[in-house]
Amino acid sequence: MEPMKPMKPMKPMEPMKPMEPMKGSDPWWPQELGQPSTSGGQNDMRYAFFPDKHRLLIERDGKRTTYDSGDHRISGVSQSNGRSPTFTSQNGDVSVDDLKVVD
């Protein structure tokens, strides 16, 4: 049996390339509205709420509608099959049908 030879030293590791930062998806709302205080989506609908501008944006099936949220401070949404979404505000639930559409 031959005597065991010592291990050869390992080559040093090559430096790793720095990682590229992950890119988030582009916002689907107009940039002039800023960042929403809350946003989300479910099924074929998504929404974003901008309290400083009093605007609620809803996109359904690729069509975006802007609503005047008035004094509502929207914090969440619920949606029933086939019915308009209902949003939670400090004044209780508010249906999107009760909000004024703006251009």
Side-chain angles (χ1 to χ4, degrees):
M1 194 161 147
E2 288 186 38
M4 211 174 210
K5 294 180 184 172
M7 283 182 70
K8 292 180 183 175
M10 292 177 71
K11 286 197 270 184
M13 284 182 67
E14 298 204 6
M16 292 178 68
K17 292 180 184 170
M19 289 182 67
E20 293 286 320
M22 290 181 67
K23 291 184 177 145
S25 58
D26 289 332
W28 56 272
W29 52 81
Q31 292 294 54
E32 62 267 14
L33 290 176
Q35 281 296 108
S37 65
T38 186
S39 64
Q42 57 186 156
N43 304 330
D44 61 348
M45 183 203 82
R46 59 184 177 175
Y47 72 95
F49 173 59
F50 304 88
D52 297 341
K53 309 276 187 192
H54 301 280
R55 292 294 179 260
L56 171 67
L57 270 62
I58 297 177
E59 188 177 87
R60 281 190 256 203
D61 301 320
K63 180 180 181 254
R64 187 173 65 210
T65 307
T66 304
Y67 297 89
D68 182 343
S69 61
D71 67 343
H72 295 288
R73 305 222 20 117
I74 291 170
S75 59
V77 63
S78 64
Q79 191 178 17
S80 302
N81 290 340
R83 294 192 32 223
S84 295
T86 299
F87 291 88
T88 305
S89 86
Q90 83 283 13
N91 300 326
D93 290 345
V94 58
S95 170
V96 73
D97 294 334
D98 296 333
L99 299 177
K100 181 181 169 191
V101 175
V102 293
D103 293 330

